[in-house]
Amino acid sequence: MNKLAKKYLRPSQIPTKACHGCGIGMIENWLLQAIDEMGLKQDDVIFGTGIGCVGRQTFATWGGDNFGATHGRALAVATGLKLAQPDKKYLIVVGDGDAASIGTSHLIHAARRNLGVTVICEDNMGYESTGGQFSPTTPAGYVTNSSPYGMVEPGFDPCDVVKAAGATFVAETTATQWHQTVKIVKKALANDGFSFVHVRFPCNENFGAYALGTRDTLKNLEWIYEHTQGRKADGTETDFTWETGIKHDASNSRPEFSKVLRDMNARVRADLAARAGT
Amino acid sequence: MPLFKAEKKPPKGPAGRWDVVVGEEMCKACGFCLHICPVDVFAWRKAPNRIGWFPMYTAHEENCIGCMLCYQICPDFCIDVSVKGAA
């Protein structure tokens, strides 16, 4: 076990519950590096998860306080927690099912309120824990278990949605960009407002097997790398490229939701006390 | 330029100063460390571990140049690289 896993994670949850070659563990390792470089302790961060591959694997791995919400509702639970304990950092690690399909409205409204949490959307381009059905982030045309002739619906980019809804930090990376992801997560945690980081990672057992025709871990991660670079190993262009990097950085430009609500609470109490006095 | 390069380079520079530890009992044999390593440090074990995978082990620690690519890419928190002698 590496040093950071010993420092921050629960030893009972290792070996991880993920399939071999799954990118969730890599991304969690980079999150730990960002937390460590910021000098945060176990007690400073509350780790929330939802349902699915990401929820199952990251559930109860964090050594400090953590929670597992119902599908898509991690941000609803986090809103309550943030209002009760505004001084903690909140790291909400959800999948594409949680963030981009069943929990989209929670995501949009948390961004609209500028709730002070950091959402890491780990996206494996489908509902892989239930057998590999397509999701709103599956690339158009790719074969999945529920789209045997290719995904007919166009996908959508959750980064654009949360940016339009008012998030103050939006970024996208993939599972082959370790240094970028660590730097971006540090910026996201430093933002006192809603931060959204979208990280794509490979699934070997379902997305790889149906869409790419292989369960070879190396080929699947290489596919992610090629679509990050926009170029294959032989120099030809890929069918599409993900735009990675920081997409919107307006850190600390809007008041944070729990502060706004507490200020209003204090104002109303003062007003009531003044009325009672007269 | 592929992520996993087929050819390995001979070690140079500060090689041999690094302590590479693989947690073999938690390795799920994805092979990322073996293929991302530029200088050929890792190899497969011939016997399975407790969870049924044939894990990696540190075969040529003296080659390690401390690039930390294996540490960054390991999905199962197995690999730890540190300077020899450091705690």
mmCIF file of all heavy atoms in Angstrom, chain B residues 2 4 8 12 21-22 24 44-45 48-52 55 57 67 74 76:
data_model
loop_
_atom_site.group_PDB
_atom_site.id
_atom_site.type_symbol
_atom_site.label_atom_id
_atom_site.label_comp_id
_atom_site.label_asym_id
_atom_site.label_seq_id
_atom_site.Cartn_x
_atom_site.Cartn_y
_atom_site.Cartn_z
ATOM 1 N N PRO B 2 2.703 6.474 -28.642
ATOM 2 C CA PRO B 2 1.789 5.789 -27.718
ATOM 3 C C PRO B 2 2.144 6.029 -26.256
ATOM 4 O O PRO B 2 3.263 6.412 -25.929
ATOM 5 C CB PRO B 2 1.969 4.316 -28.093
ATOM 6 C CG PRO B 2 3.318 4.240 -28.687
ATOM 7 C CD PRO B 2 3.610 5.557 -29.313
ATOM 8 N N PHE B 4 2.031 3.606 -23.917
ATOM 9 C CA PHE B 4 2.854 2.466 -23.506
ATOM 10 C C PHE B 4 3.855 2.177 -24.621
ATOM 11 O O PHE B 4 3.484 1.674 -25.675
ATOM 12 C CB PHE B 4 1.972 1.237 -23.253
ATOM 13 C CG PHE B 4 0.985 1.455 -22.160
ATOM 14 C CD1 PHE B 4 -0.368 1.555 -22.450
ATOM 15 C CD2 PHE B 4 1.388 1.566 -20.841
ATOM 16 C CE1 PHE B 4 -1.295 1.746 -21.437
ATOM 17 C CE2 PHE B 4 0.472 1.764 -19.829
ATOM 18 C CZ PHE B 4 -0.869 1.854 -20.122
ATOM 19 N N LYS B 8 12.302 -0.552 -24.154
ATOM 20 C CA LYS B 8 12.768 -0.020 -22.869
ATOM 21 C C LYS B 8 14.145 0.611 -23.068
ATOM 22 O O LYS B 8 14.943 0.144 -23.873
ATOM 23 C CB LYS B 8 12.883 -1.160 -21.845
ATOM 24 C CG LYS B 8 11.579 -1.904 -21.618
ATOM 25 C CD LYS B 8 10.653 -1.134 -20.726
ATOM 26 C CE LYS B 8 9.376 -1.905 -20.470
ATOM 27 N NZ LYS B 8 8.373 -1.129 -19.775
ATOM 28 N N LYS B 12 19.868 5.318 -16.701
ATOM 29 C CA LYS B 12 20.991 6.258 -16.602
ATOM 30 C C LYS B 12 20.686 7.265 -15.510
ATOM 31 O O LYS B 12 19.614 7.214 -14.905
ATOM 32 C CB LYS B 12 21.224 6.958 -17.939
ATOM 33 C CG LYS B 12 20.025 7.729 -18.434
ATOM 34 C CD LYS B 12 20.342 8.423 -19.736
ATOM 35 C CE LYS B 12 19.137 9.245 -20.171
ATOM 36 N NZ LYS B 12 19.286 9.894 -21.427
ATOM 37 N N VAL B 21 8.510 -0.684 -3.817
ATOM 38 C CA VAL B 21 7.789 -1.731 -3.091
ATOM 39 C C VAL B 21 6.446 -1.973 -3.780
ATOM 40 O O VAL B 21 5.691 -1.035 -4.010
ATOM 41 C CB VAL B 21 7.543 -1.315 -1.621
ATOM 42 C CG1 VAL B 21 6.799 -2.398 -0.872
ATOM 43 C CG2 VAL B 21 8.850 -0.983 -0.936
ATOM 44 N N VAL B 22 6.159 -3.221 -4.149
ATOM 45 C CA VAL B 22 4.855 -3.572 -4.728
ATOM 46 C C VAL B 22 4.079 -4.365 -3.687
ATOM 47 O O VAL B 22 4.577 -5.352 -3.159
ATOM 48 C CB VAL B 22 5.024 -4.419 -6.005
ATOM 49 C CG1 VAL B 22 3.666 -4.785 -6.575
ATOM 50 C CG2 VAL B 22 5.834 -3.685 -7.039
ATOM 51 N N GLU B 24 2.041 -6.963 -3.220
ATOM 52 C CA GLU B 24 1.624 -8.055 -4.113
ATOM 53 C C GLU B 24 0.288 -8.655 -3.728
ATOM 54 O O GLU B 24 -0.439 -9.162 -4.575
ATOM 55 C CB GLU B 24 2.699 -9.151 -4.117
ATOM 56 C CG GLU B 24 3.961 -8.695 -4.801
ATOM 57 C CD GLU B 24 5.010 -9.772 -4.829
ATOM 58 O OE1 GLU B 24 4.638 -10.951 -4.935
ATOM 59 O OE2 GLU B 24 6.200 -9.433 -4.730
ATOM 60 N N TRP B 44 6.228 -10.283 -13.962
ATOM 61 C CA TRP B 44 5.089 -11.053 -13.439
ATOM 62 C C TRP B 44 5.579 -12.131 -12.472
ATOM 63 O O TRP B 44 6.575 -12.775 -12.735
ATOM 64 C CB TRP B 44 4.336 -11.768 -14.560
ATOM 65 C CG TRP B 44 3.754 -10.917 -15.622
ATOM 66 C CD1 TRP B 44 4.254 -10.737 -16.868
ATOM 67 C CD2 TRP B 44 2.543 -10.169 -15.557
ATOM 68 N NE1 TRP B 44 3.436 -9.903 -17.587
ATOM 69 C CE2 TRP B 44 2.373 -9.544 -16.804
ATOM 70 C CE3 TRP B 44 1.585 -9.951 -14.559
ATOM 71 C CZ2 TRP B 44 1.293 -8.721 -17.096
ATOM 72 C CZ3 TRP B 44 0.510 -9.142 -14.842
ATOM 73 C CH2 TRP B 44 0.371 -8.531 -16.102
ATOM 74 N N ARG B 45 4.799 -12.378 -11.418
ATOM 75 C CA ARG B 45 5.011 -13.551 -10.574
ATOM 76 C C ARG B 45 4.429 -14.781 -11.282
ATOM 77 O O ARG B 45 3.462 -14.669 -12.024
ATOM 78 C CB ARG B 45 4.290 -13.396 -9.232
ATOM 79 C CG ARG B 45 5.053 -12.571 -8.232
ATOM 80 C CD ARG B 45 5.780 -13.440 -7.227
ATOM 81 N NE ARG B 45 6.379 -12.592 -6.207
ATOM 82 C CZ ARG B 45 7.686 -12.460 -6.015
ATOM 83 N NH1 ARG B 45 8.555 -13.115 -6.756
ATOM 84 N NH2 ARG B 45 8.146 -11.677 -5.067
ATOM 85 N N PRO B 48 -0.197 -17.232 -8.198
ATOM 86 C CA PRO B 48 -1.231 -16.235 -7.901
ATOM 87 C C PRO B 48 -1.203 -15.762 -6.463
ATOM 88 O O PRO B 48 -0.715 -16.469 -5.580
ATOM 89 C CB PRO B 48 -2.536 -16.975 -8.198
ATOM 90 C CG PRO B 48 -2.212 -18.400 -8.026
ATOM 91 C CD PRO B 48 -0.776 -18.574 -8.384
ATOM 92 N N ASN B 49 -1.765 -14.566 -6.240
ATOM 93 C CA ASN B 49 -1.865 -14.044 -4.871
ATOM 94 C C ASN B 49 -3.196 -14.469 -4.243
ATOM 95 O O ASN B 49 -3.958 -15.248 -4.839
ATOM 96 C CB ASN B 49 -1.663 -12.531 -4.845
ATOM 97 C CG ASN B 49 -2.715 -11.778 -5.626
ATOM 98 O OD1 ASN B 49 -3.703 -12.353 -6.062
ATOM 99 N ND2 ASN B 49 -2.508 -10.484 -5.816
ATOM 100 N N ARG B 50 -3.507 -13.947 -3.065
ATOM 101 C CA ARG B 50 -4.679 -14.386 -2.303
ATOM 102 C C ARG B 50 -5.997 -14.089 -3.032
ATOM 103 O O ARG B 50 -6.979 -14.784 -2.863
ATOM 104 C CB ARG B 50 -4.651 -13.665 -0.938
ATOM 105 C CG ARG B 50 -5.537 -14.213 0.132
ATOM 106 C CD ARG B 50 -5.132 -13.638 1.480
ATOM 107 N NE ARG B 50 -5.005 -12.180 1.444
ATOM 108 C CZ ARG B 50 -6.023 -11.338 1.594
ATOM 109 N NH1 ARG B 50 -7.229 -11.792 1.812
ATOM 110 N NH2 ARG B 50 -5.826 -10.039 1.560
ATOM 111 N N ILE B 51 -6.044 -13.017 -3.845
ATOM 112 C CA ILE B 51 -7.282 -12.683 -4.536
ATOM 113 C C ILE B 51 -7.297 -13.235 -5.970
ATOM 114 O O ILE B 51 -8.173 -12.899 -6.757
ATOM 115 C CB ILE B 51 -7.553 -11.161 -4.527
ATOM 116 C CG1 ILE B 51 -6.337 -10.357 -5.011
ATOM 117 C CG2 ILE B 51 -7.944 -10.706 -3.140
ATOM 118 C CD1 ILE B 51 -6.596 -8.868 -5.147
ATOM 119 N N GLY B 52 -6.348 -14.089 -6.312
ATOM 120 C CA GLY B 52 -6.437 -14.845 -7.556
ATOM 121 C C GLY B 52 -5.765 -14.259 -8.774
ATOM 122 O O GLY B 52 -5.948 -14.761 -9.878
ATOM 123 N N PRO B 55 0.447 -11.456 -9.578
ATOM 124 C CA PRO B 55 0.832 -10.053 -9.366
ATOM 125 C C PRO B 55 2.195 -9.692 -9.964
ATOM 126 O O PRO B 55 2.947 -10.563 -10.407
ATOM 127 C CB PRO B 55 0.876 -9.951 -7.843
ATOM 128 C CG PRO B 55 1.236 -11.308 -7.396
ATOM 129 C CD PRO B 55 0.661 -12.271 -8.380
ATOM 130 N N TYR B 57 6.023 -8.024 -9.408
ATOM 131 C CA TYR B 57 6.985 -7.845 -8.336
ATOM 132 C C TYR B 57 8.151 -7.022 -8.860
ATOM 133 O O TYR B 57 8.303 -6.849 -10.074
ATOM 134 C CB TYR B 57 7.444 -9.182 -7.745
ATOM 135 C CG TYR B 57 8.376 -9.986 -8.617
ATOM 136 C CD1 TYR B 57 9.742 -10.046 -8.351
ATOM 137 C CD2 TYR B 57 7.881 -10.694 -9.701
ATOM 138 C CE1 TYR B 57 10.590 -10.784 -9.141
ATOM 139 C CE2 TYR B 57 8.726 -11.444 -10.496
ATOM 140 C CZ TYR B 57 10.073 -11.490 -10.213
ATOM 141 O OH TYR B 57 10.915 -12.219 -11.003
ATOM 142 N N CYS B 67 11.103 7.926 -11.703
ATOM 143 C CA CYS B 67 10.216 8.791 -12.496
ATOM 144 C C CYS B 67 8.801 8.819 -11.948
ATOM 145 O O CYS B 67 8.023 9.703 -12.300
ATOM 146 C CB CYS B 67 10.193 8.349 -13.959
ATOM 147 S SG CYS B 67 9.403 6.762 -14.224
ATOM 148 N N CYS B 74 -0.788 3.281 -11.006
ATOM 149 C CA CYS B 74 -1.309 2.071 -10.352
ATOM 150 C C CYS B 74 -2.731 2.321 -9.837
ATOM 151 O O CYS B 74 -2.954 3.221 -9.034
ATOM 152 C CB CYS B 74 -0.414 1.661 -9.194
ATOM 153 S SG CYS B 74 -1.085 0.236 -8.319
ATOM 154 N N ASP B 76 -4.544 0.440 -7.887
ATOM 155 C CA ASP B 76 -4.876 -0.286 -6.662
ATOM 156 C C ASP B 76 -4.001 0.112 -5.476
ATOM 157 O O ASP B 76 -3.873 -0.672 -4.535
ATOM 158 C CB ASP B 76 -4.811 -1.795 -6.924
ATOM 159 C CG ASP B 76 -5.914 -2.223 -7.865
ATOM 160 O OD1 ASP B 76 -7.060 -2.169 -7.440
ATOM 161 O OD2 ASP B 76 -5.632 -2.557 -9.029
#
